[in-house]
Amino acid sequence: MKIAPGIHRIGDRSIVNSYLVEDAGQVTIIDAGVPGHYRDMPAELAAMGRTVADVRALLLTHGHTDHIGFAERLRRERQVPVSVHEADAALARGEVPNPAKGYGPTRLGPLLGFLWYTILRGGLRVPKLQEVATFGDGATLDVPGSPRVILTPGHTPGSAALHVPSLNALFVGDAFATYAVTTGAHGPQVAPFTADAAQAVASLARLEDVPADLALPGHGDPWTGGIQEAVRQVRQAAATRD
Ligand SMILES: [Zn+2]
């Protein structure tokens, strides 16, 4: 579905998000969702007037399986280069275990909904990346949209937000979520499956002053209430939970 000019999202639901970013007829994909999203990609590209031949790069906000879904397939079948922050490369390659500590608080209905959604789309058997390039904090990437990397460790060590100034958009990955797949709670909050919640909250200071009206998370709806307000709500929710 169309999110904003130049930005589409694969899938009509906002449980697991994969974004398509267009710049001068070329496309960067930000996060690869779950494997089943691959079959939805051609129709979404067509809605942008593009095809998979226009996809120049796939950027991963971090190395969790519900973000690398179709990455290996796109790399292997279409020779699209895949990149992730250097601190999450081993996770994306499946060489280290998920650093997340358990599920945190859960509510059965939303959790089952998330699991069912991912299982139906191949989420239990996500191919690890055989090859992944890396980027560092502060880099401006030479791909469509020219995203700038903002490292936000906590959710995982290599979690990174990607700022696309020309689209007025900040892709936050799981630096925060606007929907908790484990509890069904809506609104800006620390994402489920976060390795170090205190570090994740501290990292939000790196996002506060980013000039973008649109924050696009890995899970949940787009946030249009301003980055500073999102950060304030995440901090508040985290403080209430402690
Ligand atoms: Zn994650």
Side-chain angles (χ1 to χ4, degrees):
M1 63 180 284
K2 184 173 180 177
I3 301 289
I7 305 174
H8 278 233
R9 189 184 72 198
I10 296 179
D12 292 334
R13 298 167 68 187
S14 44
I15 297 178
V16 179
N17 298 331
S18 169
Y19 296 99
L20 308 175
V21 174
E22 187 192 350
D23 177 15
Q26 301 189 323
V27 175
T28 294
I29 300 179
I30 297 181
D31 282 333
V34 283
H37 282 154
Y38 196 79
R39 61 174 174 257
D40 301 324
M41 181 175 48
E44 203 58 54
L45 285 164
M48 307 172 83
R50 308 263 65 92
T51 72
V52 70
D54 299 316
V55 178
R56 292 287 173 272
L58 168 58
L59 307 177
L60 303 173
T61 58
H62 62 293
H64 273 159
T65 53
D66 56 341
H67 293 252
I68 69 174
F70 61 78
E72 174 60 13
R73 186 171 177 188
L74 185 69
R75 187 194 69 80
R76 203 178 57 244
E77 293 186 3
R78 310 298 307 203
Q79 289 78 49
V80 171
V82 182
S83 311
V84 68
H85 186 273
E86 54 207 9
D88 262 25
L91 182 60
R93 289 192 299 259
E95 295 166 359
V96 296
N98 182 352
K101 296 179 184 62
Y103 277 59
T106 59
R107 284 184 53 230
L108 193 57
L111 178 62
L112 289 178
F114 169 67
L115 294 174
W116 189 238
Y117 179 92
T118 56
I119 286 167
L120 283 178
R121 291 164 180 79
L124 291 185
R125 295 184 61 223
V126 177
K128 303 302 181 195
L129 280 154
Q130 300 299 309
E131 277 177 40
V132 64
T134 60
F135 48 71
D137 184 31
T140 297
L141 305 178
D142 187 17
V143 301
S146 305
R148 186 172 62 89
V149 177
I150 305 167
L151 183 64
T152 53
H155 182 69
T156 60
S159 279
L162 298 165
H163 179 214
V164 180
S166 61
L167 296 175
N168 199 17
L170 179 64
F171 297 85
V172 301
D174 290 1
F176 66 83
T178 58
Y179 175 73
V181 296
T182 46
T183 66
H186 289 273
Q189 58 197 294
V190 171
F193 309 110
T194 286
D196 186 333
Q199 189 186 29
V201 171
S203 285
L204 296 174
R206 308 205 70 205
L207 301 182
E208 274 186 300
D209 297 326
V210 174
D213 289 335
L214 191 57
L216 297 168
H219 308 277
D221 292 328
W223 175 260
T224 54
I227 306 290
Q228 290 190 345
E229 175 60 15
V231 168
R232 190 189 70 76
Q233 290 193 24
V234 180
R235 285 178 178 145
Q236 191 174 51
T240 319
R241 220 174 88 176
D242 290 342

